[in-house]
Amino acid sequence: MDAQKHVANFGAGPAKLPRSVLLEAQKELVDYKGLGISVLEMSHRTSDFSKIIRKAENLLRELLKIPDNYKVIFLQGGGSGQFSGIPLNLIGLKEERIADYVVTGGWSAKAAKEAEKYAKVNLVHPKLSTYTKVPDPSTWNLNPDASYVYYCANETVHGVEFDFVPDVGKAVLVCDMSSNFLSRPVDVSKFGVIFAGAQKNIGSAGVTAVIVRDDLLGFALKECPIVLDYKVQSENGSLYNTPPCFSIYIMGLVLEWIKNNGGVKAMDELSQTKSQMIYDIIDISNGFYVCPVERKSRSRMNVPFRIGNIKGDEALEKKFLDEAVENDMLSLKGHRSVGGIRASLYNAVTIEDVLKLSAHMKSFMERHRS
């Protein structure tokens, strides 16, 4: 590839990584810090890998100001693995085995369905006909006997994001933050468990960060696979079994990059700026571009839109995507379940990338608006 070629990757995950991280990993790939071996071939039991995993944990604790009474563990199985891991670890907190689920999109719907294997699932609001908003919390029907309340902070497919942390009183709040993790400051103390797959905002596919409050450890069902048992993994420093070593290494590099670029506060400001650039074009297009999500619930991370009308003109959308690829903009096709266009604007996506997309959207609209 031409070294000067600017390719903008708007993939929803795995997603763009900071160029400096890729270059650092490239430099250290064959010979990590003079050891003569790669992290890819390094034993997870060595002191060298211990430094890598501890660095990742310490950076995560620093960036999110994680209180001391929370454990940080790095697991495999992705966010979807935690759809099982959450009920398997937490449903035993109360005898009733009830779990409250707030379903605002495809991923929270899948989590609720998986939890039905282990729990009585209470959907706290009636099923939405379309995933275009976060229902008003005053309409939620929370069960006081629930072991926990679960929600997904940002729905990657449908582009719906919470702009608040639900107030669930003394209930245990669980959050899937996979697609907006470290994109804004978070008060970790409001949560029982936070989890996030790394492959969107904090690294490459293969590792899932789980932050769990101390008092929630030790309640796993006997059916819980030992590799998903939070107590076992925390007692073993995420090393009960061989962890995804290289993914943890990459995550550490990305966390360092976030820290060196202003931390989560700076990421939040950039996210607001980048997403607003795209939404502004949609909103002044007089219906040429249409975002189905209610304004208050619009995601800063994933911007879905149709072209031509609310249902989308497939011929126009194909042309838009083909021209985007010709102009070195990748992975703008919407999720297969909803179609259309989706621009994912994670932390590593630059203002320059978004300016490139903005120019394409304006040019395309001028040429094709009737």
Side-chain angles (χ1 to χ4, degrees):
M1 184 189 291
D2 182 349
Q4 300 305 308
K5 187 176 181 182
H6 172 216
V7 175
N9 179 5
F10 295 100
K16 178 171 181 172
L17 288 166
R19 183 162 179 78
S20 61
V21 165
L22 292 172
L23 291 172
E24 179 77 5
Q26 180 188 50
K27 186 179 80 174
E28 296 184 334
L29 182 63
V30 176
D31 182 3
Y32 177 73
K33 299 197 183 303
L35 293 176
I37 63 169
S38 171
V39 175
L40 287 165
E41 52 190 349
M42 181 187 291
S43 167
H44 61 296
R45 301 293 179 193
T46 61
S47 61
D48 295 297
F49 184 73
S50 180
K51 290 173 187 172
I52 289 172
I53 195 168
R54 293 286 78 80
K55 170 190 164 185
E57 177 180 339
N58 291 338
L59 281 166
L60 192 53
R61 286 186 176 278
E62 180 183 349
L63 287 165
L64 280 181
K65 298 181 173 65
I66 299 173
D68 290 342
N69 63 320
Y70 284 76
K71 294 288 191 285
V72 174
I73 50 180
F74 301 127
L75 304 182
Q76 298 179 73
S80 295
Q82 293 309 307
F83 295 171
S84 309
I86 293 295
L88 284 165
N89 279 277
L90 302 182
I91 203 63
L93 287 167
K94 293 188 178 180
E95 288 183 17
E96 293 82 0
R97 286 198 176 190
I98 297 168
D100 283 341
Y101 276 74
V102 186
V103 176
T104 53
W107 291 113
S108 49
K110 285 185 176 182
K113 190 173 191 319
E114 179 67 12
E116 288 174 359
K117 295 176 181 177
Y118 316 104
K120 298 171 192 168
V121 170
N122 171 47
L123 302 180
V124 305
H125 54 79
K127 188 177 187 320
L128 301 171
S129 57
T130 56
Y131 294 129
T132 56
K133 66 177 181 179
V134 174
D136 187 330
S138 66
T139 66
W140 298 2
N141 180 29
L142 298 174
N143 189 319
D145 293 324
S147 294
Y148 60 88
V149 181
Y150 179 106
Y151 78 107
C152 177
N154 182 76
E155 287 282 359
T156 319
V157 172
H158 294 91
V160 174
E161 184 175 23
F162 279 73
D163 66 347
F164 63 96
V165 173
D167 181 359
V168 296
K170 293 184 178 178
V172 174
L173 186 61
V174 175
C175 187
D176 174 1
M177 289 190 188
S178 291
S179 55
N180 67 356
F181 196 51
L182 268 67
S183 71
R184 60 164 44 135
V186 171
D187 182 353
V188 174
S189 69
K190 291 183 177 181
F191 298 86
V193 179
I194 294 169
F195 70 88
Q199 70 274 14
K200 301 174 190 297
N201 263 323
I202 59 164
S204 57
V207 62
T208 302
V210 181
I211 303 167
V212 55
R213 205 172 64 216
D214 284 351
D215 62 315
L216 302 177
L217 299 172
F219 294 92
L221 302 182
K222 68 178 187 300
E223 300 89 347
C224 181
I226 199 162
V227 293
L228 288 178
D229 188 318
Y230 297 160
K231 185 171 188 287
V232 170
Q233 289 285 14
S234 65
E235 285 176 347
N236 286 275
S238 303
L239 300 174
Y240 172 80
N241 60 318
T242 307
C245 299
F246 197 75
S247 297
I248 292 170
Y249 159 69
I250 293 293
M251 180 172 65
L253 294 181
V254 175
L255 295 175
E256 197 165 44
W257 174 84
I258 292 173
K259 178 183 175 179
N260 292 339
N261 283 275
V264 288
K265 188 172 184 294
M267 297 299 117
D268 187 17
E269 291 167 1
L270 275 171
S271 295
Q272 299 281 4
T273 300
K274 291 183 296 187
S275 58
Q276 202 56 53
M277 287 165 68
I278 303 301
Y279 286 124
D280 283 349
I281 295 171
I282 292 169
D283 292 340
I284 63 169
S285 72
N286 292 319
F288 183 77
Y289 296 119
V290 184
C291 175
V293 182
E294 290 188 6
R295 291 193 184 216
K296 183 172 168 47
S297 301
R298 283 177 170 179
S299 170
R300 299 161 307 125
M301 298 287 103
N302 311 98
V303 181
F305 59 93
R306 303 306 300 251
I307 301 177
N309 55 65
I310 187 67
K311 292 186 176 178
D313 180 322
E314 289 190 9
L316 268 183
E317 289 175 347
K318 183 179 185 307
K319 191 170 180 57
F320 179 91
L321 291 168
D322 288 345
E323 289 187 13
V325 171
E326 288 170 14
N327 288 285
D328 299 318
M329 286 171 278
L330 307 180
S331 301
L332 282 163
K333 189 174 183 178
H335 190 271
R336 61 188 180 279
S337 64
V338 295
I341 316 296
R342 174 178 56 175
S344 295
L345 309 174
Y346 301 129
N347 287 344
V349 174
T350 63
I351 294 287
E352 185 184 6
D353 293 335
V354 182
L355 283 170
K356 192 179 179 88
L357 176 57
S358 300
H360 176 49
M361 289 176 71
K362 289 173 184 174
S363 167
F364 191 84
M365 179 169 60
E366 287 168 8
R367 288 180 282 119
H368 296 282
R369 183 161 55 184
S370 54

